[in-house]
Amino acid sequence: MTDKFDKTPADEPPTGSAAGEETTATAHPEQIKAIPVRHYGRWVSGAVVLVLLGWLAFAFAQGDIRWATITDYLFDDRILQGALNTIIISVLSMLIGLVLGILFAVMRLSKNPVTGAVAWLYIWFFRGTPVYVQLLLWFNLALIFPILNIGFYKDEMVDVMTPFLVALLGLGLNEGAYMAEIVRAGIQSVDEGQTEASHALGMSNGKTMRRVVLPQAMRVIVPPTGNEFINLLKTSSLVSAVQYTDLLRAATNIGSTSFAIMEMLIVASIWYLALTSVFSVGQYYVERYYARGSLRQLPPTPWQRVKTNLRFLQSPRGV
């Protein structure tokens, strides 16, 4: 009689080389080799873009452009003065727009129907008409009001509305309408509980707006404000139509006398690119400053990333 505890050959564990191979295969599975997918479309699109860029560079190289004239006039005194005038009119117009934007944003959010309606009409008009038309309206204001008489001051309108004042009013009032909407969006982004808590502490509406709401709204207001300023810097070229000597007008004046119209337009473009690039860097750091309260750790700046990469390259084994 067979004992029920006897083991049959089938029940015995495998021995020999087969058992070792099975154990080795179980302990060390074969490593999976991942084969990356080839994106031929990326190579094709990259090659097409490089060909187009090369064709564009070749076309400009073969064009009838006097490149020496560009370098000669790039730092001309008239060009530098025009660039300075562009910066001045842009900064002052932005300051006016920011003050008007805060004022009309608060007026529009007010529960007073009169102030709300006035703010809405202001935004509706200056956002609904082109900047060029507004500049021409201010420039030709003497056709409607030949004499400016405000009691304590009286003068001819053509003497009052200088090209600088026309440019300042045209750009500043237009920018105020856009800034009003940006500021209104920033104010509405702050939780209403902040205002309720401030009122519970006995703070007035004005103090609540200055001390509580606006500082928190700056995180939302700053990024579009920077974009608006860069856009204003380029839009300021329209003031050449009202005889204000900005960068574009200085370049066109030189081009009309030296018969280097295209070359001077390239000079103006180079300066506009330089100015917008500099102010874009400033916008980045201003946004970074106001983002401190919303992020636990600020991302590294471009310069910090460059220093990190340099340290990585200078290390003995790249670690």
Side-chain angles (χ1 to χ4, degrees):
M1 184 174 179
T2 305
D3 191 350
K4 61 181 179 180
F5 295 104
D6 291 342
K7 296 182 179 179
T8 60
D11 297 327
E12 295 179 358
T15 58
S17 61
E21 292 175 359
E22 182 178 354
T23 305
T24 304
T26 303
H28 303 285
E30 184 179 357
Q31 186 177 4
I32 300 176
K33 295 181 180 180
I35 301 177
V37 180
R38 304 188 180 212
H39 301 278
Y40 296 102
R42 297 180 183 177
W43 293 97
V44 172
S45 60
V48 170
V49 170
L50 289 177
V51 169
L52 291 176
L53 289 177
W55 174 81
L56 184 63
F58 177 78
F60 271 91
Q62 298 298 317
D64 188 13
I65 299 176
R66 292 175 287 177
W67 298 103
T69 304
I70 296 176
T71 57
D72 291 339
Y73 285 100
L74 189 60
F75 296 101
D76 186 85
D77 292 339
R78 291 165 290 180
I79 295 296
L80 294 177
Q81 184 61 46
L84 179 61
N85 291 342
T86 295
I87 295 174
I88 291 174
I89 199 67
S90 299
V91 171
L92 293 179
S93 299
M94 193 66 205
L95 291 176
I96 293 175
L98 185 59
V99 172
L100 292 177
I102 296 174
L103 175 63
F104 283 101
V106 174
M107 289 174 59
R108 188 169 182 186
L109 294 174
S110 173
K111 296 181 180 179
N112 189 327
V114 177
T115 57
V118 170
W120 182 87
L121 286 174
Y122 168 81
I123 296 170
W124 169 75
F125 176 79
F126 285 99
R127 283 207 314 167
T129 54
V131 184
Y132 186 71
V133 175
Q134 296 173 28
L135 288 169
L136 293 179
L137 286 174
W138 289 109
F139 186 68
N140 296 286
L141 195 63
L143 298 176
I144 304 176
F145 304 103
I147 304 296
L148 176 64
N149 188 359
I150 54 177
F152 61 90
Y153 180 80
K154 184 179 180 180
D155 199 356
E156 294 185 2
M157 187 64 74
V158 291
D159 295 330
V160 175
M161 299 302 295
T162 61
F164 174 78
L165 185 59
V166 170
L168 188 64
L169 290 175
L171 296 178
L173 293 177
N174 180 266
E175 191 61 34
Y178 288 93
M179 286 304 304
E181 291 297 280
I182 293 175
V183 173
R184 183 174 66 89
I187 292 174
Q188 290 179 334
S189 68
V190 180
D191 189 80
E192 293 183 359
Q194 301 286 330
T195 303
E196 295 173 356
S198 301
H199 291 167
L201 293 174
M203 297 176 67
S204 62
N205 290 332
K207 193 172 184 179
T208 299
M209 183 63 66
R210 294 193 311 270
R211 298 290 184 87
V212 178
V213 177
L214 283 179
Q216 297 183 65
M218 290 300 292
R219 183 172 52 88
V220 179
I221 295 173
V222 167
T225 301
N227 293 331
E228 277 296 314
F229 178 74
I230 293 174
N231 183 62
L232 177 63
L233 194 65
K234 297 179 294 182
T235 307
S236 65
S237 61
L238 294 175
V239 301
S240 61
V242 294
Q243 310 302 320
Y244 182 70
T245 308
D246 68 324
L247 175 60
L248 179 60
R249 186 167 183 81
T252 53
N253 288 341
I254 297 175
S256 61
T257 56
S258 63
F259 302 101
I261 298 176
M262 197 64 185
E263 288 79 2
M264 297 313 302
L265 291 177
I266 294 177
V267 169
S269 300
I270 293 173
W271 272 103
Y272 278 117
L273 285 172
L275 292 177
T276 53
S277 300
V278 170
F279 284 106
S280 296
V281 174
Q283 175 192 354
Y284 170 80
Y285 282 100
V286 172
E287 291 182 10
R288 181 181 175 86
Y289 175 81
Y290 283 103
R292 292 180 303 172
S294 60
L295 299 176
R296 294 184 178 179
Q297 184 177 1
L298 293 175
T301 63
W303 177 240
Q304 290 174 343
R305 289 197 293 266
V306 169
K307 291 194 295 185
T308 302
N309 294 331
L310 289 177
R311 285 197 298 267
F312 176 80
L313 295 175
Q314 293 173 359
S315 59
R317 287 183 291 180
V319 294

